[in-house]
Amino acid sequence: MIATGVIVEYNPFHNGHLHHIKESRQKTGADVVIAVMSGHFLQRGEPALLNKWARTEMALKNGVDLVIELPYPFATGYSQEFAHGGVALLEALNCKFISFGSEHGSIERFKATYNAFNAHSDELNKTIHESVKSGISYPQALNKAHQHLEQKYNLQLLDLSKPNNILGYHYFEEIQKQHAQIEAVTIQRIAAGYHEQIDVQKNIASATGIRKELFENKKIHAIEQFLPSKSYSILENTSKFVNWDDYYPYLRFTILRFTATQLQEYVDITEGIENLLIQAAKQCETFEQFMQKIKSKRFTWTRLQRMLTHILTGYTKEMKETIQSPSYIRVLGMTEQGQKYLKEQKKNIQLPVVNKVGKDFENLLMLDIRATDLYMLGSSQGQIGMDFRTPPIRIQKKADL
Amino acid sequence: MIATGVIVEYNPFHNGHLHHIKESRQKTGADVVIAVMSGHFLQRGEPALLNKWARTEMALKNGVDLVIELPYPFATGYSQEFAHGGVALLEALNCKFISFGSEHGSIERFKATYNAFNAHSDELNKTIHESVKSGISYPQALNKAHQHLEQKYNLQLLDLSKPNNILGYHYFEEIQKQHAQIEAVTIQRIAAGYHEQIDVQKNIASATGIRKELFENKKIHAIEQFLPSKSYSILENTSKFVNWDDYYPYLRFTILRFTATQLQEYVDITEGIENLLIQAAKQCETFEQFMQKIKSKRFTWTRLQRMLTHILTGYTKEMKETIQSPSYIRVLGMTEQGQKYLKEQKKNIQLPVVNKVGKDFENLLMLDIRATDLYMLGSSQGQIGMDFRTPPIRIQKKADL
């Protein structure tokens, strides 16, 4: 069986995702589509709208055959770390292809960019380093360095101001770094930009736009057109969507409970930001106010939110040092086809497959179990200890596509 | 001016406290009565009903001239630590007397007990140690050891099953240990036992009984007869009284955010109780359920609550090691008479007097500032940073007594 992997958050699963799954399946001739999906905290440093099992169900009902959890450190890491975890898991699962959406849409350009960056890596790193030192964020610095190379050597490179091109680039880079066998393909994203408002004339909107609409408009009906019905019906049955507002009281308490020195123990807390966090926690009653208070040119909004996520979930630098790569395959859900694939590949899969969390589990899995418990304390999305009690979601009949 | 000191919590200030102040003033011929009072977390390991400034006002309106804050580590410590901090502050303030309430009521018996315990200290410690090892709590063990001495040497000692006798004994012991000049006197407690239900036939009830009535009955009028009117009117104007229920969401989140090993860093977390705390936090939705789950013969309810207070406020063993004795005198409030005393004693007071918390403050004071901020997050008793913005409460006219 040919397996094609995707790395996703599905927050929530929308028409763009459906398009990506369909196109990926067709383009690669896949028998099975495997999604490595983030758990309860996401790459933008945010809690997920819905718990991971609800999002798994969305995926399985819309063409994905197997959902594997991307462990917390990768799901909430920098783009490189996110890509590292995702690629490693898809490779361990013996996927023949990894398919990602990008603004550019042709894999050749990714290859060319990777090769150019490799050929001029010293120059690239120097330029990035200088830009970051001058006070701009890493993504901006990367983009600037890339324009510099493009002009100097008269190259045609990827537009790295586009978020999905960047992420795709990191997947491509990780495949090379890991000497992975998996082959990269890319599907061009259609219609919606990443951060755009929803456009009622279309049936495609970004997850960011959809979430914005959900929280600001609060009329779930307004987003119906952008979601497959099997995803929409799950959203429709959700009483309350989760966002940072639900965790701000806990975050604020946690920040004020620590000294600045203690806060430095958490991942990404660097450059004296701990004092600013304490000041802001003292003054700000809401998460929005808090973010407005701490934002600056030096840090992207996303990077700040990731710091806060790590403080919230107690993810320390000390723990991070012990973590290299995913060390198990946690199955969140599967169709019959997905199950068949796991059976077929049983002997070839290079990591232990965890269908049910037992009493003994690795440190890495502990982070996801804890993230679940803390997520549940701030939301009405389930109970403490659900990781132990929730078997993989199973969809009996493969969704019609 | 003759100053007489008392060590108090006033949670809340009631008729028994008024009686104690009046008797102390009369018995010692005091010109000024100084109360060393706990801040927002108390010796039983509980948050205070009302914030420390409201309790200061109660004290000043009912015969106390000067209220000094007992810093967090002493206010929430074992009886010995509580006594240590209180006696050291009253001594530093040059009080001529310390006056405490006790069930026994005669200072001679405290002296005799102290001498007997000193003469047989090895035997006493051995007996206590064996009892604690066998699984009973420290107060029970102390009481048992004392009965053993009494019978063996035919002595008449204090009844150490009575909580105020125990506390008074520790005051007495601390005076000797610190070679303090302060002289101990005791006032016999009247009418109410410590843990009793309120008795509507009387006008004296314990603070424990009053709090029980406030939270269970929820009719504030039921406690009016037990409080001086100037204390009752402050309670009457309080919209919500604080208790552990207000902090359980934060406590639960904090416990589940840590590993067992990390929980061991907090003061009093010993003997493997950290695992039980994590288990209980997973299962229990309310503080009451949580306490029922963790209680055992080995630990008194109070000791467990103190552990939880230290986890809640982030008080670590590492911090505790840096703390010996109070290192400043924090004035929470004063009458004109109290202010006059401070002026008169200016040059004799052995510690810096803090009327207003500025930008630079000691580690010890940081603990109280933080305790205030965390207390405010769980209650509607004030805002973050009140320690910086609240000058000492001043009562212009000395209360008529």
Side-chain angles (χ1 to χ4, degrees), chain A residues 125-360:
Chain A
N125 289 333
K126 197 175 148 239
T127 323
I128 292 175
H129 184 71
E130 278 165 7
S131 299
V132 167
K133 252 181 99 176
S134 81
I136 67 172
S137 72
Y138 179 82
Q140 286 175 313
L142 177 66
N143 189 38
K144 209 174 146 187
H146 138 279
Q147 285 173 351
H148 163 82
L149 283 192
E150 208 167 31
Q151 282 161 19
K152 184 163 172 188
Y153 299 102
N154 194 25
L155 298 166
Q156 275 214 313
L157 303 179
L158 270 176
D159 179 356
L160 289 184
S161 68
K162 301 276 194 259
N164 285 279
N165 283 349
I166 299 180
L167 206 51
Y169 176 78
H170 287 301
Y171 296 144
F172 197 87
E173 185 182 51
E174 275 299 322
I175 293 171
Q176 319 306 318
K177 276 194 191 168
Q178 296 179 28
H179 307 291
Q181 300 299 307
I182 200 166
E183 185 181 326
V185 300
T186 186
I187 308 290
Q188 184 153 29
R189 282 170 64 91
I190 47 170
Y194 194 65
H195 297 292
E196 268 168 27
Q197 298 279 355
I198 61 170
D199 176 349
V200 292
Q201 303 303 317
K202 298 177 179 172
N203 69 347
I204 297 274
S206 71
T208 306
I210 291 170
R211 288 194 301 272
K212 198 165 182 267
E213 195 64 21
L214 270 183
F215 286 112
E216 289 178 9
N217 190 328
K218 288 173 199 267
K219 278 184 205 132
I220 183 169
H221 187 71
I223 61 155
E224 183 168 6
Q225 70 190 97
F226 307 109
L227 270 65
S229 65
K230 287 172 185 166
S231 178
Y232 182 73
S233 67
I234 292 170
L235 274 188
E236 218 181 3
N237 289 320
T238 303
S239 57
K240 192 187 168 307
F241 303 109
V242 180
N243 69 4
W244 254 117
D245 293 341
D246 300 315
Y247 299 93
Y248 185 61
Y250 294 118
L251 176 71
R252 193 180 187 201
F253 188 90
T254 301
I255 291 174
L256 292 181
R257 190 182 162 281
F258 283 125
T259 61
T261 311
Q262 287 173 320
L263 282 179
Q264 284 168 11
E265 291 172 19
Y266 294 94
V267 170
D268 288 358
I269 307 297
T270 45
E271 304 175 50
I273 196 157
E274 61 279 4
N275 294 306
L276 182 59
L277 298 181
I278 292 172
Q279 252 351 87
K282 284 188 180 179
Q283 292 169 20
C284 304
E285 303 277 336
T286 68
F287 185 70
E288 177 63 25
Q289 285 170 16
F290 182 86
M291 286 301 293
Q292 291 300 339
K293 185 91 194 165
I294 66 170
K295 75 172 184 185
S296 69
K297 274 190 192 165
R298 184 171 288 274
F299 301 109
T300 61
W301 187 277
T302 296
R303 183 156 169 218
L304 290 170
Q305 288 198 148
R306 277 201 295 263
M307 287 180 195
L308 302 178
T309 300
H310 300 323
I311 291 174
L312 188 78
T313 61
Y315 181 42
T316 61
K317 292 172 182 167
E318 195 186 344
M319 285 181 198
K320 182 171 179 171
E321 271 174 28
T322 67
I323 291 158
Q324 306 293 333
S325 273
S327 48
Y328 55 84
I329 287 164
R330 168 84 187 277
V331 180
L332 288 177
M334 50 193 161
T335 60
E336 285 175 1
Q337 185 77 346
Q339 189 170 12
K340 208 169 130 192
Y341 179 76
L342 278 182
K343 216 174 215 168
E344 181 198 278
Q345 291 289 322
K346 212 172 184 179
K347 288 186 184 156
N348 303 323
I349 291 177
Q350 300 146 37
L351 294 173
V353 175
V354 178
N355 278 303
K356 201 168 173 356
V357 180
K359 277 208 165 179
D360 294 314

Side-chain angles (χ1 to χ4, degrees), chain B residues 123-346:
Chain B
E123 192 170 353
L124 183 77
N125 290 334
K126 195 174 151 240
T127 322
I128 292 174
H129 184 72
E130 279 167 4
S131 299
V132 167
K133 253 181 98 175
S134 82
I136 68 171
S137 71
Y138 179 83
Q140 286 174 314
L142 177 67
N143 189 37
K144 210 174 147 188
H146 138 279
Q147 286 172 351
H148 163 83
L149 284 193
E150 209 168 30
Q151 283 162 18
K152 186 164 172 191
Y153 300 102
N154 193 27
L155 298 166
Q156 276 215 310
L157 303 179
L158 271 175
D159 179 355
L160 289 183
S161 68
K162 301 277 191 259
N164 285 278
N165 282 349
I166 298 179
L167 206 50
Y169 177 79
H170 287 300
Y171 295 144
F172 197 87
E173 185 182 51
E174 275 300 321
I175 294 171
Q176 319 305 318
K177 274 195 192 167
Q178 297 180 27
H179 307 292
Q181 299 301 307
I182 200 167
E183 187 181 323
V185 299
T186 187
I187 308 289
Q188 184 152 30
R189 282 170 64 91
I190 48 170
Y194 194 65
H195 298 291
E196 269 169 26
Q197 299 277 355
I198 60 169
D199 177 347
V200 290
Q201 303 303 315
K202 297 176 182 171
N203 69 348
I204 297 276
S206 73
T208 306
I210 290 169
R211 289 194 302 273
K212 196 164 186 268
E213 194 65 21
L214 270 182
F215 286 111
E216 289 179 9
N217 189 329
K218 287 175 200 262
K219 278 183 204 132
I220 183 169
H221 186 73
I223 61 155
E224 184 169 5
Q225 70 189 97
F226 306 109
L227 269 65
S229 65
K230 288 172 184 167
S231 177
Y232 181 73
S233 67
I234 292 171
L235 275 188
E236 219 182 2
N237 288 320
T238 303
S239 58
K240 192 184 168 310
F241 302 109
V242 180
N243 69 5
W244 254 116
D245 293 341
D246 300 315
Y247 299 92
Y248 185 61
Y250 294 118
L251 177 71
R252 194 179 185 199
F253 187 89
T254 301
I255 290 173
L256 292 180
R257 190 182 163 282
F258 284 123
T259 62
T261 311
Q262 287 172 320
L263 281 180
Q264 284 168 11
E265 291 172 19
Y266 294 95
V267 169
D268 288 357
I269 307 298
T270 46
E271 304 175 49
I273 194 154
E274 61 280 4
N275 294 306
L276 182 58
L277 297 182
I278 292 171
Q279 251 352 85
K282 285 188 179 176
Q283 293 169 21
C284 303
E285 303 278 336
T286 66
F287 185 70
E288 177 63 25
Q289 286 170 15
F290 182 86
M291 287 299 295
Q292 291 299 338
K293 186 90 193 167
I294 66 170
K295 73 174 185 183
S296 69
K297 273 191 193 166
R298 183 170 288 274
F299 300 108
T300 60
W301 189 275
T302 296
R303 184 159 167 213
L304 291 169
Q305 289 198 147
R306 276 200 296 261
M307 287 181 194
L308 302 177
T309 299
H310 299 324
I311 290 174
L312 187 78
T313 61
Y315 181 42
T316 61
K317 291 171 183 168
E318 196 185 344
M319 286 182 199
K320 182 169 178 172
E321 271 174 29
T322 67
I323 290 158
Q324 305 295 332
S325 272
S327 47
Y328 55 84
I329 287 164
R330 167 86 186 277
V331 180
L332 288 177
M334 51 194 160
T335 59
E336 285 174 1
Q337 185 76 349
Q339 190 170 10
K340 207 168 131 193
Y341 180 76
L342 278 182
K343 217 173 217 172
E344 181 198 278
Q345 291 288 320
K346 213 173 184 180

